[in-house]
Amino acid sequence: MRRKLAGHEGLTLVELLAAVVILILLGLILNAGLQMAMTSYRAMIAQSETELLLSTLADILADDLRYAEDVAAKEGMLDSYFSDSYGEETRLRLENGKVYADGGGNSGLRVLPDGAYGLNGRYEVDAMEIGYADRVFTLKLSVKEKDGDIHAETELAVRCLNPEKKESEP
């Protein structure tokens, strides 16, 4: 039996340990690369969902304001209006990072469903300002990730297409 093994050379303990160390280092490098890729992926998804919420909210509000009637403004800011969606004396408000409409005897109607704000409310509307002058609404919106640095904002003008029925205050 010794004759058969004598002609064969095997790996020494040092060579075996060197191979294991090299494999461990390659595994650590691969793990670090995957972690960086996942972090980047999550940031891209968060930015995309923030911008999607902002775009969706801006579109819904712009569509509603475009066909508003009986618009009332105070000091250049929108006070109330008649909305086909929410009724008479509609007032838009921001509460706990979500936009609500009060009007037509209804209070607290959601402009967007809870799912639009991400899983477990991950995204929120940070600021909403609606100005009104000369039959043009100026809409400023800011949306952010609740527990992160990601945010998006927009400003747009929406012309009211319905004829004015009520005088607005300056």
Side-chain angles (χ1 to χ4, degrees):
M1 181 68 117
R2 285 184 187 235
R3 281 188 202 167
K4 288 183 180 179
L5 293 176
H8 297 287
E9 292 185 24
L11 294 175
T12 65
L13 183 59
V14 173
E15 291 171 334
L16 194 57
L17 287 175
V20 169
V21 166
I22 290 171
L23 286 175
I24 289 173
L25 288 175
L26 287 174
L28 289 173
I29 291 170
L30 181 63
N31 186 36
L34 286 174
Q35 290 296 329
M36 287 176 26
M38 288 303 295
T39 301
S40 176
Y41 173 76
R42 286 186 188 113
M44 286 178 9
I45 292 297
Q47 183 68 40
S48 176
E49 288 184 358
T50 301
E51 290 174 3
L52 180 63
L53 173 60
L54 179 67
S55 174
T56 303
L57 185 60
D59 285 347
I60 287 174
L61 292 177
D63 285 346
D64 198 47
L65 294 172
R66 185 171 288 118
Y67 299 104
E69 296 179 35
D70 297 332
V71 179
K74 290 183 182 174
E75 299 175 9
M77 302 304 291
L78 177 66
D79 182 42
S80 66
Y81 65 99
F82 173 80
S83 166
D84 289 335
S85 303
Y86 307 111
E88 293 181 18
E89 297 291 319
T90 299
R91 287 183 170 81
L92 299 171
R93 65 182 164 85
L94 182 60
E95 183 179 308
N96 298 325
K98 297 179 181 177
V99 178
Y100 294 94
D102 302 325
N106 296 316
S107 172
L109 297 173
R110 293 179 301 193
V111 173
L112 289 174
D114 288 337
Y117 296 96
L119 188 62
N120 298 323
R122 182 174 177 190
Y123 308 100
E124 64 185 7
V125 180
D126 189 36
M128 179 179 72
E129 187 177 300
I130 304 173
Y132 181 73
D134 298 325
R135 310 223 5 92
V136 175
F137 295 97
T138 305
L139 182 61
K140 294 179 186 177
L141 293 170
S142 175
V143 175
K144 69 174 189 165
E145 186 181 26
K146 204 177 264 188
D147 299 323
D149 298 332
I150 296 175
H151 70 282
E153 53 190 40
T154 190
E155 183 175 339
L156 58 121
V158 179
R159 178 167 279 305
C160 186
L161 299 179
N162 285 329
E164 192 162 0
K165 294 180 183 177
K166 184 193 264 188
E167 293 270 334
S168 49
E169 299 175 22

